[in-house]
Amino acid sequence: MIVVLKQNSDKERVERLMQHFTDMGLRINYSEGEDTTILGLMGDTTRLDEGDIMAYDVVERVQRVTEPFKAVNRKFHPEDTIIEVAGRKIGAGYFNVMAGPCSVENEAQIVECAERVKAAGASFLRGGAFKPRTSPYSFQGLEAEGLKLLLEAKRQTGLPIVTEIMSEKHLDLFADVDIIQLGARNMQNFMLLKELGRCNKPILLKRGLSATMEEFLMAAEYIFAGGNKQVILCERGIRTFEKMIRNNLDLSAVPLVKMFSHLPIIIDPSHAAGRRDMVQPLSRAAIAAGADGLIIEAHNDPKHALCDGAQSLDLDQFDHVMSDIKRRAEFEGRVMMP
Amino acid sequence: MIVVLKQNSDKERVERLMQHFTDMGLRINYSEGEDTTILGLMGDTTRLDEGDIMAYDVVERVQRVTEPFKAVNRKFHPEDTIIEVAGRKIGAGYFNVMAGPCSVENEAQIVECAERVKAAGASFLRGGAFKPRTSPYSFQGLEAEGLKLLLEAKRQTGLPIVTEIMSEKHLDLFADVDIIQLGARNMQNFMLLKELGRCNKPILLKRGLSATMEEFLMAAEYIFAGGNKQVILCERGIRTFEKMIRNNLDLSAVPLVKMFSHLPIIIDPSHAAGRRDMVQPLSRAAIAAGADGLIIEAHNDPKHALCDGAQSLDLDQFDHVMSDIKRRAEFEGRVMMP
Amino acid sequence: MIVVLKQNSDKERVERLMQHFTDMGLRINYSEGEDTTILGLMGDTTRLDEGDIMAYDVVERVQRVTEPFKAVNRKFHPEDTIIEVAGRKIGAGYFNVMAGPCSVENEAQIVECAERVKAAGASFLRGGAFKPRTSPYSFQGLEAEGLKLLLEAKRQTGLPIVTEIMSEKHLDLFADVDIIQLGARNMQNFMLLKELGRCNKPILLKRGLSATMEEFLMAAEYIFAGGNKQVILCERGIRTFEKMIRNNLDLSAVPLVKMFSHLPIIIDPSHAAGRRDMVQPLSRAAIAAGADGLIIEAHNDPKHALCDGAQSLDLDQFDHVMSDIKRRAEFEGRVMMP
Amino acid sequence: MIVVLKQNSDKERVERLMQHFTDMGLRINYSEGEDTTILGLMGDTTRLDEGDIMAYDVVERVQRVTEPFKAVNRKFHPEDTIIEVAGRKIGAGYFNVMAGPCSVENEAQIVECAERVKAAGASFLRGGAFKPRTSPYSFQGLEAEGLKLLLEAKRQTGLPIVTEIMSEKHLDLFADVDIIQLGARNMQNFMLLKELGRCNKPILLKRGLSATMEEFLMAAEYIFAGGNKQVILCERGIRTFEKMIRNNLDLSAVPLVKMFSHLPIIIDPSHAAGRRDMVQPLSRAAIAAGADGLIIEAHNDPKHALCDGAQSLDLDQFDHVMSDIKRRAEFEGRVMMP
């Protein structure tokens, strides 16, 4: 951590600040230039807060020179993390496709989806029981009933399931879910992150719409800090000024995660653009960029979907996209699950 | 709602789509141009979801022409809402300053802050018991103990309190809190919004860091939809590309809220910039733009604050800023509370 | 174009507005709802300006339903444009790699670069003679002398050249340049766009750092409007909140350009991230997304480059990346130039 | 400048890098921690480029700790700059309102506007002769003829004029213009900045739509570097995600300019929001935030304006806004010009 001091600062106050750092067990490199005096802090700076230091009158600026995340940092854990769930491996060359409808609507629908996406090669069934909607007047999901239908589809097809949690109060309901998804709008719901850190299940952590990579990895760090090391990152599009699409898939996230972290990262091409015709080109780019998997919306009859139909492939389109995905994963030398 | 059809769409499919809208009780204006055919939907379109309509193959684009928020819309409620709490009025020309430390640290600290900000003219005491922090290794607040200390400060000074909730599980703990604050990162924590909609307390709803005004007002609409009509909006800075400040106070939010909604809006100049030296100029601009109040961080000893010290005024600086605020509120013809 | 009228507008004023549109040769569809009255304008609306219409007191909102670009719109020109220059084809399945140093520094440097990138398989030599720099104190390029050196490298190797223009005054100097590049910061330098529209050379048009796709295509439309139909689009990273990289490559731009326009689009993975270690993964993603080519910085000794060294590959690294590119272009069924 | 080295870097290469800095006349503070080694560079670092340094293999990260702008930096020029033009003072407590139509259309129009805005209290006449338009099919201004009409209005009323330049080629035409405006889209048209640096006229420099404050001040530094020290900064709204307004006025720019620079800053509330009903509240906020003036669009008949009518006040509305501005400038202790 670099602390830039204000010009002509009072000596005594600077000494008090330096004492404060020494008391915290940090070593200080003091460097005096013409216009600028700098303190370089060495030791464990993850507990330091830039704001706290800025509170000292003599401080002009504070800059981190090391990442604030530790447990999820590749520097301290060089090998790729592999997450094993329901017989599937995620990460480190293993490639997974999670597919299914936006919302669970009824048993026939979710079972048909599960059968078809399994036949096409998906390794997980996705589907929303609790749905975050920007309008209180929109369909909010079947909730607990939706979870039951997902589990029924799992029973009939053997496909493990991934579905979104929206409240700490619902954690018990998710006991038989294989992967718990945390949605983009809850990426910094710190209380929920803490609860998920205490549970013993893989978490699919979606990146917030305007979150930086550091904030994204710090959210994963929250889950690790609670003891849960099974985190799968998911990039699902960020907010940009573009009007032709809903969100803008950030494919730089893939190589950045690979450089800075050991966690697997999968891509959601459906929610990113919000356009069905973008799913295939974005999936192709994601595979080539090195993603560990894809999560794709596929529906048995998208024009009557109760939510987000614009981005859903129908099951025939999914078959077509899936065979393209397999060919590309093979070209990249990935091992397709299941 | 405007539905633009794809060129050369199949007649029968278009008819099926039109039937769908008619079945929902909407009237349709059909308009055929050279390159473009448009359906204009009339009636109550708040229940319609753009994504659902986009799912139809024949649809190229969907555009709303009316706002999706209703209960908080000034169109349907032309008079300013006034919220009365603990003998103070908020909105419609009544001006409130809420002040206090970032975090509650101990009784002496919070009581001293309360006494001093009350003496300076603040009408509410603010202070964090539950603290949202980007790092799991940072101080997370005194939690339930912090709430007790706030209530003790209220008992000693008579100042009503405003403090942040971070989980639905804690709602009972907030029974004696005067105004419950919902933080920026939870603006779209829909489960918590629903719970707050069911409670009978004024809510200070902070705008998300990258939320549009429409999303901000839709979050308020969630609370209204649950039956709670006591919502105070709070603009606290949005994320922009600027590096000299932490967030960028969006003062356009004030006149826009006044045009599109009947709810009061207050400004947080402390969190916005994250710099103590910006609090006064931003407060001045906020008052002139028509804000209904300010929420300002003030601390008895900012250099030892356990969080966010960079933006906190000390109590002497607060006195100074407060006397400037009073002079300006008077110039604008506002009625200072208490 | 959709014109939403204000509630309870004066009849006579609305009629005057409608007369104005009729006078412009437009047809009007008038549609009256409970809360909202809408005029749908049909005919050639590209000359209409939203701002002009908003000036009428009775107007609440104006929304385009068709794209404002025409000449570059795929709707009116369904086949891919192929640009032929110096025996190379660009677009429609033909794949080009343009490579070379950020800045031309001296003859030995630029000739060595040209020879090596040609040997590796590049079809164009890139290199900056006029350099846009954010600081007036940074190296500004060799200017006219740099152009001479580029042409010398072309003479010795046969590689056609692409280089950036920064002023209308310099157009004569670019007479022998094969492709003129217009930089991101000049994407809306309308006077320069007009001049380039009048010249008879292919233009490599770089997208502005915060430009929407519509603005990007409208810049190309400016060049077309002057009579020059040889425009190659280039995505080079947009500004986002991410701090780990300089800019954020927007790969959605590739499928969007393919849907909405007939022009070729190439990708600049070097400037996008500003990190050498991102060039390969971003190149891979670009090819898979359907890009028509890449423009890559490669330098004979990057640590002494006079500008932007952070993102430059050295010539050995370029060889390595280039062989990966060829293998992938082949997988995609593209025809590598030359 | 702080240079963070990669872990376990080759000693010899680090020494070569350090030699390179020593050769440039810089002093180095070497600081070795457990995980991180840092070089602190002292001396004149304005000529250093982060990218150049990043090119060295041993470098992980580079961070500036001092601003890259020098001539416009308040640190080296603590007093406010006052610009004197046509008998008016701009900056340091002197308050100017520049007003007039978006485009010059004909003599009657521009003369009427000039007379009325002068009578209302404006100190400069603004009006566009060369107009930057996003569409090549929109009205592009009367160009040279428009400049003549502006000068005619000046002759008849005595009001000095401010108008936009779009090309270096036009500089001669601007010989009698009092203040030359450089538009937002040309803020980083470096060739034009250099030309304006060589001319002897006050420049109204508009901030780019997505420019940071540092980039804004570096554009001013370009003009200073050429020898011209008469720069007036102008904030005119930045691009954010907000859809209810065209751009979002960044009022933090005012106190930031006052802290970091000695140059005057004025606010354009008309272009910022693009809505007539936002001009008054934004003007009020700007004055309170400490702006040195306003530039406001006012038109004799906005509904027939040839461009940007949505944001123009008519002359009666301008009278009304202007009297409010005068009352507020007086409250702030500013000296209204003329």
Side-chain angles (χ1 to χ4, degrees), chain D residues 81-85 88-96 98 123-124 179 202 231-232 263-266 292-293 337:
Chain D
T81 282
I82 298 177
I83 290 163
E84 301 208 37
V85 47
R88 277 79 175 173
K89 290 180 177 175
I90 302 175
Y94 297 100
F95 196 88
N96 286 271
M98 304 171 180
S123 49
F124 287 85
I179 300 179
V231 179
I232 304 152
L263 294 176
I265 177 165
I266 69 167
D292 296 300
M337 290 281 115

PDB file of all heavy atoms in Angstrom, chain D residues 81-85 88-96 98 123-124 179 202 231-232 263-266 292-293 337:
ATOM      1  N   THR D  81      -6.873  32.077 -12.377  1.00  0.00           N
ATOM      2  CA  THR D  81      -6.652  32.796 -13.635  1.00  0.00           C
ATOM      3  C   THR D  81      -7.887  33.631 -13.964  1.00  0.00           C
ATOM      4  O   THR D  81      -9.012  33.152 -13.824  1.00  0.00           O
ATOM      5  CB  THR D  81      -6.376  31.784 -14.765  1.00  0.00           C
ATOM      6  OG1 THR D  81      -5.030  31.343 -14.635  1.00  0.00           O
ATOM      7  CG2 THR D  81      -6.570  32.387 -16.141  1.00  0.00           C
ATOM      8  N   ILE D  82      -7.645  34.882 -14.375  1.00  0.00           N
ATOM      9  CA  ILE D  82      -8.743  35.720 -14.875  1.00  0.00           C
ATOM     10  C   ILE D  82      -8.490  35.976 -16.359  1.00  0.00           C
ATOM     11  O   ILE D  82      -7.396  36.383 -16.737  1.00  0.00           O
ATOM     12  CB  ILE D  82      -8.813  37.065 -14.126  1.00  0.00           C
ATOM     13  CG1 ILE D  82      -9.085  36.816 -12.633  1.00  0.00           C
ATOM     14  CG2 ILE D  82      -9.890  37.964 -14.737  1.00  0.00           C
ATOM     15  CD1 ILE D  82      -9.092  38.096 -11.793  1.00  0.00           C
ATOM     16  N   ILE D  83      -9.484  35.685 -17.174  1.00  0.00           N
ATOM     17  CA  ILE D  83      -9.342  35.926 -18.610  1.00  0.00           C
ATOM     18  C   ILE D  83     -10.125  37.179 -18.963  1.00  0.00           C
ATOM     19  O   ILE D  83     -11.301  37.301 -18.618  1.00  0.00           O
ATOM     20  CB  ILE D  83      -9.828  34.691 -19.401  1.00  0.00           C
ATOM     21  CG1 ILE D  83      -8.812  33.559 -19.169  1.00  0.00           C
ATOM     22  CG2 ILE D  83      -9.968  35.005 -20.878  1.00  0.00           C
ATOM     23  CD1 ILE D  83      -9.311  32.200 -19.524  1.00  0.00           C
ATOM     24  N   GLU D  84      -9.441  38.097 -19.634  1.00  0.00           N
ATOM     25  CA  GLU D  84     -10.113  39.348 -20.010  1.00  0.00           C
ATOM     26  C   GLU D  84     -10.355  39.351 -21.505  1.00  0.00           C
ATOM     27  O   GLU D  84      -9.438  39.159 -22.295  1.00  0.00           O
ATOM     28  CB  GLU D  84      -9.243  40.552 -19.629  1.00  0.00           C
ATOM     29  CG  GLU D  84      -8.962  40.573 -18.131  1.00  0.00           C
ATOM     30  CD  GLU D  84      -8.735  41.991 -17.614  1.00  0.00           C
ATOM     31  OE1 GLU D  84      -9.421  42.930 -18.111  1.00  0.00           O
ATOM     32  OE2 GLU D  84      -7.880  42.150 -16.728  1.00  0.00           O
ATOM     33  N   VAL D  85     -11.597  39.574 -21.862  1.00  0.00           N
ATOM     34  CA  VAL D  85     -11.921  39.576 -23.287  1.00  0.00           C
ATOM     35  C   VAL D  85     -13.046  40.582 -23.523  1.00  0.00           C
ATOM     36  O   VAL D  85     -14.058  40.559 -22.812  1.00  0.00           O
ATOM     37  CB  VAL D  85     -12.274  38.143 -23.783  1.00  0.00           C
ATOM     38  CG1 VAL D  85     -13.234  37.454 -22.868  1.00  0.00           C
ATOM     39  CG2 VAL D  85     -12.803  38.178 -25.188  1.00  0.00           C
ATOM     40  N   ARG D  88     -14.773  42.160 -20.657  1.00  0.00           N
ATOM     41  CA  ARG D  88     -15.341  41.307 -19.613  1.00  0.00           C
ATOM     42  C   ARG D  88     -14.219  40.524 -18.937  1.00  0.00           C
ATOM     43  O   ARG D  88     -13.267  40.118 -19.590  1.00  0.00           O
ATOM     44  CB  ARG D  88     -16.324  40.293 -20.193  1.00  0.00           C
ATOM     45  CG  ARG D  88     -17.726  40.812 -20.432  1.00  0.00           C
ATOM     46  CD  ARG D  88     -17.794  41.614 -21.702  1.00  0.00           C
ATOM     47  NE  ARG D  88     -19.164  42.031 -22.000  1.00  0.00           N
ATOM     48  CZ  ARG D  88     -19.442  42.856 -22.981  1.00  0.00           C
ATOM     49  NH1 ARG D  88     -18.485  43.405 -23.739  1.00  0.00           N
ATOM     50  NH2 ARG D  88     -20.700  43.185 -23.213  1.00  0.00           N
ATOM     51  N   LYS D  89     -14.389  40.284 -17.651  1.00  0.00           N
ATOM     52  CA  LYS D  89     -13.482  39.399 -16.934  1.00  0.00           C
ATOM     53  C   LYS D  89     -14.178  38.062 -16.689  1.00  0.00           C
ATOM     54  O   LYS D  89     -15.367  38.027 -16.349  1.00  0.00           O
ATOM     55  CB  LYS D  89     -13.098  40.017 -15.592  1.00  0.00           C
ATOM     56  CG  LYS D  89     -12.198  41.226 -15.727  1.00  0.00           C
ATOM     57  CD  LYS D  89     -11.840  41.800 -14.366  1.00  0.00           C
ATOM     58  CE  LYS D  89     -10.879  42.976 -14.559  1.00  0.00           C
ATOM     59  NZ  LYS D  89     -10.591  43.658 -13.286  1.00  0.00           N
ATOM     60  N   ILE D  90     -13.421  36.987 -16.839  1.00  0.00           N
ATOM     61  CA  ILE D  90     -13.970  35.643 -16.609  1.00  0.00           C
ATOM     62  C   ILE D  90     -13.097  34.939 -15.575  1.00  0.00           C
ATOM     63  O   ILE D  90     -11.886  34.854 -15.735  1.00  0.00           O
ATOM     64  CB  ILE D  90     -13.984  34.823 -17.922  1.00  0.00           C
ATOM     65  CG1 ILE D  90     -14.803  35.560 -18.992  1.00  0.00           C
ATOM     66  CG2 ILE D  90     -14.542  33.415 -17.682  1.00  0.00           C
ATOM     67  CD1 ILE D  90     -14.785  34.907 -20.360  1.00  0.00           C
ATOM     68  N   GLY D  91     -13.734  34.421 -14.510  1.00  0.00           N
ATOM     69  CA  GLY D  91     -12.983  33.689 -13.465  1.00  0.00           C
ATOM     70  C   GLY D  91     -12.851  34.493 -12.188  1.00  0.00           C
ATOM     71  O   GLY D  91     -13.166  35.699 -12.168  1.00  0.00           O
ATOM     72  N   ALA D  92     -12.429  33.821 -11.108  1.00  0.00           N
ATOM     73  CA  ALA D  92     -12.109  34.491  -9.844  1.00  0.00           C
ATOM     74  C   ALA D  92     -13.232  35.373  -9.311  1.00  0.00           C
ATOM     75  O   ALA D  92     -12.983  36.505  -8.874  1.00  0.00           O
ATOM     76  CB  ALA D  92     -10.835  35.319 -10.001  1.00  0.00           C
ATOM     77  N   GLY D  93     -14.465  34.898  -9.364  1.00  0.00           N
ATOM     78  CA  GLY D  93     -15.547  35.672  -8.776  1.00  0.00           C
ATOM     79  C   GLY D  93     -16.354  36.481  -9.782  1.00  0.00           C
ATOM     80  O   GLY D  93     -17.447  36.952  -9.473  1.00  0.00           O
ATOM     81  N   TYR D  94     -15.835  36.644 -10.991  1.00  0.00           N
ATOM     82  CA  TYR D  94     -16.605  37.336 -12.037  1.00  0.00           C
ATOM     83  C   TYR D  94     -17.496  36.320 -12.729  1.00  0.00           C
ATOM     84  O   TYR D  94     -17.032  35.241 -13.101  1.00  0.00           O
ATOM     85  CB  TYR D  94     -15.660  38.005 -13.041  1.00  0.00           C
ATOM     86  CG  TYR D  94     -14.821  39.074 -12.403  1.00  0.00           C
ATOM     87  CD1 TYR D  94     -13.505  38.830 -12.035  1.00  0.00           C
ATOM     88  CD2 TYR D  94     -15.373  40.327 -12.123  1.00  0.00           C
ATOM     89  CE1 TYR D  94     -12.744  39.800 -11.416  1.00  0.00           C
ATOM     90  CE2 TYR D  94     -14.620  41.309 -11.499  1.00  0.00           C
ATOM     91  CZ  TYR D  94     -13.305  41.046 -11.144  1.00  0.00           C
ATOM     92  OH  TYR D  94     -12.558  42.008 -10.521  1.00  0.00           O
ATOM     93  N   PHE D  95     -18.754  36.656 -12.878  1.00  0.00           N
ATOM     94  CA  PHE D  95     -19.738  35.691 -13.378  1.00  0.00           C
ATOM     95  C   PHE D  95     -20.293  36.138 -14.724  1.00  0.00           C
ATOM     96  O   PHE D  95     -20.776  37.263 -14.866  1.00  0.00           O
ATOM     97  CB  PHE D  95     -20.869  35.548 -12.358  1.00  0.00           C
ATOM     98  CG  PHE D  95     -21.727  34.331 -12.584  1.00  0.00           C
ATOM     99  CD1 PHE D  95     -21.379  33.109 -12.012  1.00  0.00           C
ATOM    100  CD2 PHE D  95     -22.865  34.385 -13.376  1.00  0.00           C
ATOM    101  CE1 PHE D  95     -22.155  31.970 -12.209  1.00  0.00           C
ATOM    102  CE2 PHE D  95     -23.647  33.259 -13.591  1.00  0.00           C
ATOM    103  CZ  PHE D  95     -23.294  32.049 -13.005  1.00  0.00           C
ATOM    104  N   ASN D  96     -20.212  35.248 -15.728  1.00  0.00           N
ATOM    105  CA  ASN D  96     -20.681  35.567 -17.080  1.00  0.00           C
ATOM    106  C   ASN D  96     -21.762  34.603 -17.545  1.00  0.00           C
ATOM    107  O   ASN D  96     -21.663  33.405 -17.303  1.00  0.00           O
ATOM    108  CB  ASN D  96     -19.512  35.442 -18.069  1.00  0.00           C
ATOM    109  CG  ASN D  96     -18.538  36.593 -17.938  1.00  0.00           C
ATOM    110  OD1 ASN D  96     -18.691  37.618 -18.584  1.00  0.00           O
ATOM    111  ND2 ASN D  96     -17.531  36.427 -17.065  1.00  0.00           N
ATOM    112  N   MET D  98     -23.342  33.392 -21.117  1.00  0.00           N
ATOM    113  CA  MET D  98     -23.249  33.406 -22.571  1.00  0.00           C
ATOM    114  C   MET D  98     -24.544  32.803 -23.077  1.00  0.00           C
ATOM    115  O   MET D  98     -24.932  31.726 -22.625  1.00  0.00           O
ATOM    116  CB  MET D  98     -22.052  32.564 -23.019  1.00  0.00           C
ATOM    117  CG  MET D  98     -20.741  33.023 -22.371  1.00  0.00           C
ATOM    118  SD  MET D  98     -19.363  31.899 -22.689  1.00  0.00           S
ATOM    119  CE  MET D  98     -18.029  32.769 -21.793  1.00  0.00           C
ATOM    120  N   SER D 123     -23.596  38.442 -21.069  1.00  0.00           N
ATOM    121  CA  SER D 123     -22.401  39.212 -21.416  1.00  0.00           C
ATOM    122  C   SER D 123     -21.747  38.753 -22.715  1.00  0.00           C
ATOM    123  O   SER D 123     -20.854  39.407 -23.229  1.00  0.00           O
ATOM    124  CB  SER D 123     -21.389  39.152 -20.266  1.00  0.00           C
ATOM    125  OG  SER D 123     -21.188  37.826 -19.841  1.00  0.00           O
ATOM    126  N   PHE D 124     -22.181  37.620 -23.249  1.00  0.00           N
ATOM    127  CA  PHE D 124     -21.675  37.123 -24.533  1.00  0.00           C
ATOM    128  C   PHE D 124     -22.837  36.562 -25.340  1.00  0.00           C
ATOM    129  O   PHE D 124     -23.797  36.039 -24.768  1.00  0.00           O
ATOM    130  CB  PHE D 124     -20.646  35.998 -24.330  1.00  0.00           C
ATOM    131  CG  PHE D 124     -19.305  36.458 -23.824  1.00  0.00           C
ATOM    132  CD1 PHE D 124     -19.092  36.640 -22.460  1.00  0.00           C
ATOM    133  CD2 PHE D 124     -18.266  36.729 -24.713  1.00  0.00           C
ATOM    134  CE1 PHE D 124     -17.858  37.074 -21.994  1.00  0.00           C
ATOM    135  CE2 PHE D 124     -17.028  37.162 -24.239  1.00  0.00           C
ATOM    136  CZ  PHE D 124     -16.823  37.342 -22.871  1.00  0.00           C
ATOM    137  N   ILE D 179     -14.318  34.540 -28.483  1.00  0.00           N
ATOM    138  CA  ILE D 179     -13.911  33.299 -27.821  1.00  0.00           C
ATOM    139  C   ILE D 179     -14.188  32.151 -28.779  1.00  0.00           C
ATOM    140  O   ILE D 179     -15.298  32.032 -29.315  1.00  0.00           O
ATOM    141  CB  ILE D 179     -14.710  33.059 -26.510  1.00  0.00           C
ATOM    142  CG1 ILE D 179     -14.483  34.211 -25.518  1.00  0.00           C
ATOM    143  CG2 ILE D 179     -14.321  31.721 -25.878  1.00  0.00           C
ATOM    144  CD1 ILE D 179     -15.256  34.052 -24.209  1.00  0.00           C
ATOM    145  N   PRO D 202      -8.915  33.578 -26.496  1.00  0.00           N
ATOM    146  CA  PRO D 202      -9.475  32.708 -25.449  1.00  0.00           C
ATOM    147  C   PRO D 202     -10.191  31.508 -26.075  1.00  0.00           C
ATOM    148  O   PRO D 202     -10.879  31.658 -27.096  1.00  0.00           O
ATOM    149  CB  PRO D 202     -10.479  33.611 -24.723  1.00  0.00           C
ATOM    150  CG  PRO D 202     -10.090  34.997 -25.068  1.00  0.00           C
ATOM    151  CD  PRO D 202      -9.477  34.939 -26.438  1.00  0.00           C
ATOM    152  N   VAL D 231      -7.608  29.748 -21.361  1.00  0.00           N
ATOM    153  CA  VAL D 231      -8.513  28.601 -21.516  1.00  0.00           C
ATOM    154  C   VAL D 231      -9.634  28.700 -20.487  1.00  0.00           C
ATOM    155  O   VAL D 231      -9.381  28.864 -19.293  1.00  0.00           O
ATOM    156  CB  VAL D 231      -7.767  27.266 -21.357  1.00  0.00           C
ATOM    157  CG1 VAL D 231      -8.730  26.087 -21.493  1.00  0.00           C
ATOM    158  CG2 VAL D 231      -6.644  27.153 -22.380  1.00  0.00           C
ATOM    159  N   ILE D 232     -10.867  28.608 -20.979  1.00  0.00           N
ATOM    160  CA  ILE D 232     -12.045  28.538 -20.111  1.00  0.00           C
ATOM    161  C   ILE D 232     -12.592  27.124 -20.247  1.00  0.00           C
ATOM    162  O   ILE D 232     -12.908  26.690 -21.353  1.00  0.00           O
ATOM    163  CB  ILE D 232     -13.115  29.555 -20.572  1.00  0.00           C
ATOM    164  CG1 ILE D 232     -12.525  30.963 -20.625  1.00  0.00           C
ATOM    165  CG2 ILE D 232     -14.347  29.491 -19.661  1.00  0.00           C
ATOM    166  CD1 ILE D 232     -13.202  31.857 -21.654  1.00  0.00           C
ATOM    167  N   LEU D 263      -7.898  27.423 -13.566  1.00  0.00           N
ATOM    168  CA  LEU D 263      -8.680  27.916 -14.705  1.00  0.00           C
ATOM    169  C   LEU D 263     -10.145  28.127 -14.335  1.00  0.00           C
ATOM    170  O   LEU D 263     -10.680  27.434 -13.472  1.00  0.00           O
ATOM    171  CB  LEU D 263      -8.591  26.912 -15.856  1.00  0.00           C
ATOM    172  CG  LEU D 263      -7.198  26.752 -16.476  1.00  0.00           C
ATOM    173  CD1 LEU D 263      -7.220  25.664 -17.537  1.00  0.00           C
ATOM    174  CD2 LEU D 263      -6.735  28.078 -17.097  1.00  0.00           C
ATOM    175  N   PRO D 264     -10.807  29.069 -15.006  1.00  0.00           N
ATOM    176  CA  PRO D 264     -12.252  29.237 -14.789  1.00  0.00           C
ATOM    177  C   PRO D 264     -13.037  28.080 -15.414  1.00  0.00           C
ATOM    178  O   PRO D 264     -12.595  27.476 -16.385  1.00  0.00           O
ATOM    179  CB  PRO D 264     -12.586  30.548 -15.510  1.00  0.00           C
ATOM    180  CG  PRO D 264     -11.453  30.848 -16.403  1.00  0.00           C
ATOM    181  CD  PRO D 264     -10.251  30.088 -15.919  1.00  0.00           C
ATOM    182  N   ILE D 265     -14.185  27.785 -14.836  1.00  0.00           N
ATOM    183  CA  ILE D 265     -15.061  26.746 -15.392  1.00  0.00           C
ATOM    184  C   ILE D 265     -16.491  27.258 -15.466  1.00  0.00           C
ATOM    185  O   ILE D 265     -17.009  27.813 -14.493  1.00  0.00           O
ATOM    186  CB  ILE D 265     -14.987  25.429 -14.579  1.00  0.00           C
ATOM    187  CG1 ILE D 265     -15.982  24.406 -15.172  1.00  0.00           C
ATOM    188  CG2 ILE D 265     -15.212  25.627 -13.087  1.00  0.00           C
ATOM    189  CD1 ILE D 265     -15.779  22.980 -14.712  1.00  0.00           C
ATOM    190  N   ILE D 266     -17.091  27.076 -16.638  1.00  0.00           N
ATOM    191  CA  ILE D 266     -18.499  27.443 -16.792  1.00  0.00           C
ATOM    192  C   ILE D 266     -19.305  26.186 -17.123  1.00  0.00           C
ATOM    193  O   ILE D 266     -18.756  25.159 -17.495  1.00  0.00           O
ATOM    194  CB  ILE D 266     -18.717  28.540 -17.850  1.00  0.00           C
ATOM    195  CG1 ILE D 266     -18.441  28.004 -19.243  1.00  0.00           C
ATOM    196  CG2 ILE D 266     -17.854  29.765 -17.556  1.00  0.00           C
ATOM    197  CD1 ILE D 266     -18.942  28.945 -20.312  1.00  0.00           C
ATOM    198  N   ASP D 292     -18.126  29.588 -12.674  1.00  0.00           N
ATOM    199  CA  ASP D 292     -17.791  30.958 -13.045  1.00  0.00           C
ATOM    200  C   ASP D 292     -18.708  31.528 -14.112  1.00  0.00           C
ATOM    201  O   ASP D 292     -18.482  32.669 -14.562  1.00  0.00           O
ATOM    202  CB  ASP D 292     -16.337  31.001 -13.551  1.00  0.00           C
ATOM    203  CG  ASP D 292     -15.358  30.624 -12.461  1.00  0.00           C
ATOM    204  OD1 ASP D 292     -15.336  31.329 -11.438  1.00  0.00           O
ATOM    205  OD2 ASP D 292     -14.629  29.627 -12.618  1.00  0.00           O
ATOM    206  N   GLY D 293     -19.683  30.743 -14.539  1.00  0.00           N
ATOM    207  CA  GLY D 293     -20.594  31.258 -15.546  1.00  0.00           C
ATOM    208  C   GLY D 293     -21.445  30.153 -16.113  1.00  0.00           C
ATOM    209  O   GLY D 293     -21.335  28.985 -15.720  1.00  0.00           O
ATOM    210  N   MET D 337     -20.996  40.083 -14.919  1.00  0.00           N
ATOM    211  CA  MET D 337     -20.512  40.820 -16.072  1.00  0.00           C
ATOM    212  C   MET D 337     -21.686  41.006 -17.030  1.00  0.00           C
ATOM    213  O   MET D 337     -22.528  40.122 -17.109  1.00  0.00           O
ATOM    214  CB  MET D 337     -19.398  40.035 -16.793  1.00  0.00           C
ATOM    215  CG  MET D 337     -18.095  39.945 -16.031  1.00  0.00           C
ATOM    216  SD  MET D 337     -17.145  41.464 -16.193  1.00  0.00           S
ATOM    217  CE  MET D 337     -17.147  42.033 -14.500  1.00  0.00           C
TER     218      MET D 337
END
